Amino acid sequence: MLVKYRNSQNKVALGLLSLMPKEHELKHLQQTMLRYQQNKNWEMYFWQEEEKYIGIIGIEVQEQEFVIQHLAVLPSFRGEGVGKAIVNEIQKMYSGLKMMTTEETEAFVKSIY
């Protein structure tokens, strides 16, 4: 199930976002977190199973579309359909908007469909 990010979950978000190829450098990762915390159009959600956060998705909401900026699943849960479940759930939440991807998230989204 998707759970909206709260500032108190900063360390968990940092850990999951660091799985993204361009988010390995701490300074860049901190800038990314600031963008989600300060920009109302940038939203982040965790994928939670039982009591664990095992995935994350970050989107930028625009007038007629939303853009998947970040999408990551813990390595031990890959290949189990978690990524697809995350994308399906976010599409339901924003069903009135067209889903778009970035260059970084496009391959992952295409691989799960």
Side-chain angles (χ1 to χ4, degrees):
M1 120 173 110
L2 282 180
V3 178
K4 189 159 174 95
Y5 163 82
R6 294 185 318 265
N7 287 342
S8 63
Q9 299 163 312
N10 194 45
K11 287 183 181 180
V12 176
L14 285 169
L16 287 166
L17 284 175
S18 71
L19 298 171
M20 297 284 302
K22 292 185 178 179
E23 300 294 341
H24 290 299
E25 187 180 313
L26 182 59
K27 189 172 185 175
H28 189 270
L29 188 54
Q30 289 171 330
Q31 290 171 342
T32 297
M33 288 303 299
L34 278 175
R35 187 175 294 138
Y36 282 106
Q37 293 168 347
Q38 296 175 351
N39 189 330
K40 65 179 176 132
N41 294 337
W42 283 63
E43 299 181 8
M44 192 170 9
Y45 297 87
F46 294 110
W47 185 259
Q48 183 178 5
E49 287 189 1
E50 296 174 16
E51 306 237 349
K52 292 182 181 179
Y53 296 124
I54 62 169
I56 195 165
I57 188 166
I59 63 171
E60 178 185 7
V61 181
Q62 300 173 357
E63 283 186 37
Q64 298 180 3
E65 62 193 27
F66 69 93
V67 181
I68 298 176
Q69 297 288 338
H70 297 93
L71 180 59
V73 175
L74 287 174
S76 59
F77 290 90
R78 291 180 185 164
E80 297 181 14
V82 174
K84 187 173 187 173
I86 293 171
V87 173
N88 286 342
E89 199 62 31
I90 206 76
Q91 283 182 305
K92 286 179 194 173
M93 290 175 66
Y94 293 91
S95 61
L97 302 177
K98 180 179 179 182
M99 182 180 78
M100 304 293 289
T101 57
T102 64
E103 185 178 314
E104 190 176 15
T105 60
E106 180 178 17
F108 184 57
V109 172
K110 281 185 175 179
S111 74
I112 59 177
Y113 285 99

